[in-house]
Amino acid sequence: MKIGAVEQALMKEIEGRRTICFSLLDSENIRNQDAGEIAKTVEHEGVSAILVGGSTIADQIELNSFIKKIKEDTKIPIILFPGNITGVSPYADAILFTSLLNSDNPYFITGAQALGASAVRKHSIEALPTAYIVVGDGGTTGFIGQARGIPSSKPDLAAMYALAGQYMGMRFLYLESGSGASSPVPTDLITAVRKVYDGFLIAGGGIKEPEAAKAVAKAGADAIVLGTLFESNTYKTLLPKIMQAVREG
Ligand code: 1GP
């Protein structure tokens, strides 16, 4: 499978094990008129890509206009982060083509993927093969995706899934504690995954403070995801501090 432009750019950005940041914007929770301003701010602060998605997105018309609005205001890549087939939009640059490895329902491992694949191909959206692993209860994504969450105190189980993802050829791996989680994925669990997994490691869920962001970066994440942060105006003061902390991590 050919490596596309977005993946090449991301791999270049993390050369020398630098950690980068992604913003996650949910078209259901953020108004179009705010999306443009958020996008400009994150671009200015050095965020590397905007993920667009959510576990319960059903309105593709809204999703399309949301992405078009962001694209009017920024040049950074827009990467879909779908929770289901309704999360595919032709206006995005790439898609985290995820398989929720620890779901109990095969629909979220290969079923939705088979249903959505032809749209990805038709619209020439760059697919980033991604192992998606839910840690703890996983909040909404854990519930919707029927995940059997990796217990936070069992890093070895996470490493086992990560290695399986690697051997299945997944070049990206997303460790998820769920949007709005009370705490991020534990650092010892990230470190255990980092030890066995050579690909692009993403960690998200519950990261809303500089110190937590720095710890996740230090533990070995290549990218951290910030989502809930953008659902209130505090992002304007917190984002620069988080970016600084991640650079130091
Ligand atoms: C959710 O990992 C992302 O899929 C982001 O989580 O909303 O808690 O930042 P937060």
Side-chain angles (χ1 to χ4, degrees):
M1 194 177 142
K2 199 170 133 257
I3 309 270
V6 171
E7 183 168 346
Q8 284 181 30
L10 292 177
M11 294 310 290
K12 203 167 167 40
E13 284 213 52
I14 61 159
E15 270 172 15
R17 282 261 98 97
R18 191 173 91 87
T19 303
I20 59 176
C21 287
F22 294 157
S23 300
L24 169 64
L25 305 184
D26 186 334
S27 56
E28 286 187 318
N29 295 340
I30 291 174
R31 299 177 312 170
N32 273 21
Q33 57 263 49
D34 297 331
E37 195 193 340
I38 296 173
K40 278 187 212 154
T41 307
V42 304
E43 184 168 43
H44 175 76
E45 291 300 334
V47 164
S48 301
I50 296 178
L51 306 185
V52 176
S55 314
T56 54
I57 285 179
D59 186 342
Q60 287 184 288
I61 297 167
E62 183 180 67
L63 175 67
N64 289 338
S65 71
F66 187 81
I67 294 175
K68 281 201 254 181
K69 175 71 192 128
I70 299 173
K71 287 207 91 110
E72 277 170 21
D73 292 308
T74 57
K75 294 204 166 18
I76 57 178
I78 310 293
I79 304 176
L80 297 167
F81 177 39
N84 211 324
I85 54 171
T86 45
V88 180
S89 165
Y91 301 104
D93 302 298
I95 180 168
L96 287 179
F97 201 86
T98 56
S99 173
L100 177 44
L101 294 189
N102 59 327
S103 176
D104 273 341
N105 183 343
Y107 177 79
F108 294 102
I109 307 171
T110 54
Q113 293 74 4
L115 288 169
S118 57
V120 171
R121 181 167 192 263
K122 181 159 58 180
H123 300 300
S124 305
I125 308 167
E126 180 182 336
L128 309 175
T130 305
Y132 189 40
I133 299 172
V134 167
V135 178
D137 81 6
T140 306
T141 192
F143 177 81
I144 297 285
Q146 296 170 40
R148 187 151 38 87
I150 308 280
S152 303
S153 58
K154 297 287 178 193
D156 292 353
L157 290 180
M160 207 170 83
Y161 274 89
L163 199 52
Q166 177 155 291
Y167 290 158
M168 287 191 281
M170 293 159 166
R171 299 192 295 273
F172 290 75
L173 188 148
Y174 193 136
L175 284 175
E176 172 74 89
S177 66
S179 187
S182 54
S183 52
V185 174
T187 50
D188 58 341
L189 192 147
I190 298 171
T191 304
V193 167
R194 178 77 286 170
K195 262 193 201 143
V196 297
Y197 180 71
D198 298 331
F200 191 104
L201 178 57
I202 305 168
I207 304 171
K208 43 193 183 297
E209 266 136 30
E211 278 314 304
K214 188 174 180 170
V216 169
K218 252 189 151 155
D222 293 310
I224 66 159
V225 182
L226 306 164
T228 306
L229 182 74
F230 300 102
E231 289 170 20
S232 85
N233 270 334
T234 52
Y235 78 86
K236 291 179 184 162
T237 47
L238 268 173
L239 181 64
K241 293 181 186 157
I242 291 176
M243 295 298 295
Q244 179 62 29
V246 168
R247 285 186 194 111
E248 289 164 10

